[in-house]
């Protein structure tokens, strides 16, 4: 049973070829758009690479960049086929390449859909990567003299100011690490000695945060130190008063930022998939309608279709063809192995 059969008079075939040519060039632009989205997302991820523990999420922009390039290539091919489709001398050489083209076009749609799915499925991995990366970034904040970490302080400060966040989960994360280098501590001071001795690991811990945690929108001058001591500041109650610090943690801020990008990119990629399927279906109709033209009456009507058989029968044929190719490959490998063994015996 032929699937979605349509009648195509000559004028309709001409309009189909012209419309498909336009669609294919729109799909080329869509491929460039997809590639650009991948580059932009990759750049944004690399900007925050220092606060990420792994690069698993990079699979999404990598897929977008690869598929964007492939999409441009296959649709340039489709446009060229359209130009030659109504010429009985120039179209036949393209026919052997159309079946692989259909398979590649479907793979492009599957890859694009997988990129959309992965962008949401990897949210947990992204959050865990940021959790570990930010924790290490905060821990190494003070190492401005250590090679490889000297820019960690600037990275964290810029991150907190740009995203208006503080700490990993919240500002209290800074209470658990020594974020001031020993180079800037006066160890002759009794207060410094007492704080260091009171800690099991000999670290200088304090209930304070870096300046980059301060919210400039707060009417009160920034309070960075002694945040849990109500007596250290006038008219201050840290448990009830809204602090003049950013309340949101940087992990949540980054997850929200990247998922916002994904939510913006997702509809665009789905639009590209729809356009690519339109090109695929249109080229299939053009291909089959041209094959059905009577050579003795090239201006007559012809029939175009998506599949020559039903979906189930077509899948069975594909399955049979794949099995035959696999068996053929195994036979060739076996023959080569036997030939090698015979050669060794002869020598």
């Amino acid at each position: 049973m032929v699937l979605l059969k349509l009648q195509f008079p000559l004028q309709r075939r001409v309009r189909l070829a012209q419309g498909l040519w336009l669609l294919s060039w729109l799909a080329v632009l869509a491929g460039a758009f997809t590639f650009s989205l991948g580059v932009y997302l990759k750049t944004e991820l690399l900007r925050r690479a220092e606060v990420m523990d792994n690069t698993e999420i990079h699979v999404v922009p990598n897929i977008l960049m690869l598929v964007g390039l492939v999409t441009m290539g296959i649709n340039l091919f489709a446009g060229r086929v359209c130009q030659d489709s109504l010429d009985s001398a120039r179209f036949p050489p393209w026919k052997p390449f159309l079946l692989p083209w259909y398979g590649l076009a479907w793979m492009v749609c599957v890859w694009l859909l997988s990129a959309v799915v992965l962008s949401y499925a990897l949210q947990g991995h992204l959050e865990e990567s940021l959790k570990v990366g930010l924790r290490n970034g905060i821990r190494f904040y003070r190492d401005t003299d250590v090679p490889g970490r000297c820019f960690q302080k600037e990275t964290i400060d810029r991150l907190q100011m740009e995203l208006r966040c503080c700490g990993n989960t919240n500002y209290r994360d800074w209470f658990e690490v020594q974020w001031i280098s020993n180079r800037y501590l006066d160890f002759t001071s009794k207060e410094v000695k007492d704080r260091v001795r009171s800690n099991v690991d000999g670290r200088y811990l304090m209930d304070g945060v870096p300046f980059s945690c301060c919210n400039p929108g707060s009417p009160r001058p920034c309070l960075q130190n002694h945040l849990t001591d109500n007596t250290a500041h006038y008219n201050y109650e840290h448990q009830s008063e809204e602090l003049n610090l950013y309340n949101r943690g940087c992990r949540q801020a980054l997850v929200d930022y990247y998922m916002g990008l994904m939510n913006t990119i997702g509809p665009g990629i789905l639009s590209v998939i729809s356009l690519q399927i339109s090109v695929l279906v249109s080229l299939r109709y053009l291909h089959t309608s041209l094959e059905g033209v009577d050579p003795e009456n090239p201006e007559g009507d012809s029939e175009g279709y998506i599949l020559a058989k039903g979906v189930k029968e077509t899948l069975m044929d594909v399955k049979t063809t794949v099995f035959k190719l696999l068996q053929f490959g195994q036979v060739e490998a076996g023959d080569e192995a036997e030939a090698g063994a015979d050669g060794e015996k002869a020598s």
Side-chain angles (χ1 to χ4, degrees):
M1 179 182 176
V2 178
L3 183 66
L4 298 177
K5 183 170 64 175
L6 295 175
Q7 286 293 122
F8 285 91
L10 175 61
Q11 191 61 32
R12 194 173 184 182
R13 292 198 298 270
V14 172
R15 288 199 301 268
L16 177 60
Q18 292 172 342
L20 179 55
W21 181 85
L22 180 60
L23 270 180
S24 63
W25 277 103
L26 288 175
V28 170
L29 295 177
F33 170 73
T34 303
F35 178 78
S36 301
L37 286 179
V39 171
Y40 176 71
L41 183 57
K42 183 80 170 182
T43 303
E44 288 300 301
L45 289 171
L46 290 175
R47 279 184 63 205
R48 311 298 183 187
E50 293 184 5
V51 293
M52 289 187 181
D53 184 53
N54 59 62
T55 58
E56 291 181 0
I57 193 65
H58 286 245
V59 69
V60 176
N62 291 343
I63 290 176
L64 292 179
M65 288 189 291
L66 173 63
V67 175
L69 293 174
V70 174
T71 300
M72 287 189 283
I74 64 174
N75 287 292
L76 285 171
F77 173 88
R80 185 60 188 273
V81 171
C82 293
Q83 287 180 333
D84 297 344
S85 61
L86 300 179
D87 189 326
S88 58
R90 295 166 63 184
F91 179 68
W94 293 107
K95 289 183 180 180
F97 301 101
L98 290 177
L99 187 59
W101 185 93
Y102 295 138
L104 188 56
W106 275 115
M107 287 299 297
V108 164
C109 295
V110 171
W111 287 336
L112 286 172
L113 187 60
S114 68
V116 175
V117 173
L118 284 173
S119 65
Y120 295 99
L122 292 176
Q123 180 178 352
H125 294 274
L126 173 63
E127 190 167 353
E128 185 62 27
S129 174
L130 289 169
K131 178 181 178 181
V132 177
L134 284 167
R135 184 175 61 204
N136 291 334
I138 291 173
R139 186 175 60 175
F140 301 138
Y141 180 87
R142 63 175 179 168
D143 295 340
T144 52
D145 299 328
V146 178
R149 300 177 189 168
C150 52
F151 294 106
Q152 196 71 52
K153 177 183 179 300
E154 181 182 357
T155 299
I156 296 297
D157 282 334
R158 287 187 180 277
L159 174 67
Q160 293 189 145
M161 289 187 290
E162 288 177 13
L163 297 182
R164 303 175 68 86
C165 58
C166 184
N168 192 339
T169 304
N170 54 50
Y171 69 93
R172 289 183 175 272
D173 293 325
W174 290 102
F175 299 175
E176 301 172 4
V177 297
Q178 179 181 334
W179 53 272
I180 299 178
S181 173
N182 288 340
R183 179 180 179 181
Y184 304 108
L185 292 176
D186 181 9
F187 282 94
T188 62
S189 169
K190 183 178 183 303
E191 179 187 359
V192 173
K193 289 181 179 179
D194 291 343
R195 282 186 181 275
V196 172
R197 289 170 182 170
S198 63
N199 184 264
V200 177
D201 299 324
R203 295 179 297 170
Y204 181 78
L205 302 183
M206 56 185 294
D207 53 347
V209 296
F211 77 96
S212 52
C213 282
C214 294
N215 183 358
S218 172
R220 181 167 189 162
C222 185
L223 302 178
Q224 293 179 244
N225 301 316
H226 306 292
L227 295 176
T228 58
D229 186 359
N230 294 332
T231 62
H233 310 286
Y234 176 73
N235 194 22
Y236 176 73
E237 173 58 52
H238 80 277
Q239 293 180 340
S240 60
E241 182 177 347
E242 183 178 352
L243 298 176
N244 54 359
L245 307 174
Y246 296 127
N247 293 318
R248 185 173 60 161
C250 290
R251 188 200 335 163
Q252 189 59 50
L254 283 168
V255 170
D256 291 345
Y257 174 70
Y258 285 123
M259 293 313 297
L261 284 180
M262 304 294 186
N263 291 335
T264 303
I265 290 173
I269 297 304
L270 293 176
S271 301
V272 174
I273 293 174
S274 301
L275 182 59
Q276 187 60 56
I277 291 176
S278 299
V279 173
L280 177 61
V281 172
S282 299
L283 185 57
R284 179 61 177 168
Y285 270 124
L286 181 63
H287 175 203
T288 53
S289 65
L290 290 173
E291 283 192 331
V293 173
D294 185 357
E296 297 181 358
N297 183 21
E299 296 184 0
D301 294 355
S302 63
E303 292 181 347
Y305 50 84
I306 299 298
L307 296 175
K309 301 178 182 179
V311 176
K312 185 176 180 181
E313 292 84 355
T314 302
L315 290 176
M316 291 299 296
D317 289 346
V318 171
K319 182 179 178 181
T320 303
T321 304
V322 171
F323 280 152
K324 285 182 179 179
L325 289 174
L326 292 175
Q327 289 174 357
F328 181 72
Q330 291 175 353
V331 170
E332 280 194 339
D335 292 342
E336 290 178 359
E338 290 180 1
D342 293 341
E344 289 180 359
K345 289 180 181 178
S347 61

